[in-house]
Amino acid sequence: MKCLTRFSLAASASALLFAATVAEAQMYRYTDENGQMVISNTIPQEASRRGYDILNTQGRVVESVAPAPTPEEIAAREAEEKRQEAQKRQQEQDRKLLKRFSHPDQAVSAMHRKVRELESLSQLKRGNISVIVSQLNNEESRAADMERSGREVPETTLKKIRRLEAQVRDIEREIAIQNAEIQDLRDGYEADIRRLEEITGEPRTLPLEPPEPGN
């Protein structure tokens, strides 16, 4: 009798579990490739990409799954994310720029000061070239005099001439590099000046070209 009771209890528990499973079963409502509404306990993968509804046993919608985004929508979303990232970077750059300068004229003055510093270094290098060229002319003149008199030019003189020529070339190369740095510096400052005019709403009043010495 006890065995029968246990069997009955087990059977009842299994029946309740099955009933609960059926009660929790879900159905899917979706549109097929022909545009027809379909309700089923399964959903094809292609139909799931078009979006679908999950229904309970009473046929009520318990959840709606949106359609998978199209390639165009994905591209638009990625473009918007990039735009927002660029905007954040620009805002951070603007914040740093405003910490350096509160008005475009301050950036103009800083640019002129930096350019003058670099140009003064270039001027020193040009002075060095003048000194070396003067030495080179003297050595070449001496060598020419020796050749005209039929004497052989010493190797030490020829080496000195070659060394002086190499020094001139090296300094000229340094000046060319420095001139490029000056142009890069000006380009960077002028971009900052234009941006400051935009974000402050204040136009510069100072000229971009540095004033002549003494003015």
Side-chain angles (χ1 to χ4, degrees):
M1 190 66 178
K2 290 182 179 179
C3 291
L4 180 59
T5 301
R6 291 195 190 96
F7 177 81
S8 299
L9 290 173
S12 298
S14 297
L16 289 173
L17 181 60
F18 176 78
T21 303
V22 171
E24 293 173 1
Q26 294 176 332
M27 302 293 287
Y28 301 96
R29 183 174 66 188
Y30 60 90
T31 302
D32 65 14
E33 63 274 10
N34 298 317
Q36 299 298 316
M37 186 68 68
V38 178
I39 296 178
S40 174
N41 61 352
T42 60
I43 180 170
Q45 184 177 4
E46 186 60 35
S48 69
R49 295 194 184 99
R50 294 192 290 269
Y52 57 92
D53 296 324
I54 301 175
L55 311 176
N56 60 18
T57 53
Q58 286 77 40
R60 294 175 181 170
V61 176
V62 295
E63 184 179 353
S64 292
V65 179
T70 64
E72 292 77 12
E73 290 172 335
I74 293 174
R77 184 173 60 196
E78 291 176 348
E80 176 60 18
E81 290 174 352
K82 289 180 180 179
R83 186 193 68 79
Q84 292 181 2
E85 289 175 1
Q87 185 179 44
K88 288 180 181 179
R89 287 195 299 271
Q90 185 64 65
Q91 289 173 345
E92 179 62 18
Q93 291 172 1
D94 290 346
R95 186 186 65 79
K96 292 180 179 179
L97 183 60
L98 287 170
K99 285 184 67 175
R100 295 171 59 202
F101 311 111
S102 60
H103 191 279
D105 282 349
Q106 292 179 337
V108 174
S109 297
M111 177 180 69
H112 290 168
R113 184 170 59 254
K114 291 289 187 180
V115 168
R116 281 196 299 269
E117 290 174 0
L118 291 176
E119 287 182 340
S120 64
L121 291 176
S122 293
Q123 191 62 37
L124 287 174
K125 292 180 186 295
R126 292 188 185 95
N128 291 338
I129 287 179
S130 297
V131 173
I132 295 172
V133 167
S134 177
Q135 295 176 0
L136 178 60
N137 290 338
N138 290 336
E139 293 299 326
E140 289 177 339
S141 179
R142 287 176 54 198
D145 290 341
M146 292 178 185
E147 289 177 340
R148 281 192 293 270
S149 63
R151 290 180 295 167
E152 184 176 354
V153 179
E155 182 61 27
T156 54
T157 300
L158 295 176
K159 285 183 178 179
K160 187 173 183 179
I161 290 173
R162 289 193 293 269
R163 177 171 53 80
L164 292 171
E165 290 174 339
Q167 288 177 351
V168 171
R169 288 193 300 271
D170 289 343
I171 297 175
E172 287 177 341
R173 185 162 49 249
E174 291 174 5
I175 291 174
I177 292 172
Q178 204 156 41
N179 287 340
E181 290 175 353
I182 290 173
Q183 187 58 52
D184 289 342
L185 178 76
R186 288 184 61 88
D187 291 344
Y189 267 101
E190 289 179 10
D192 287 345
I193 292 164
R194 289 192 297 270
R195 186 59 185 167
L196 283 166
E197 289 178 323
E198 291 179 15
I199 59 182
T200 64
E202 297 286 344
R204 64 176 174 83
T205 63
L206 298 176
L208 294 178
E209 291 302 320
E212 293 294 329
N215 292 341

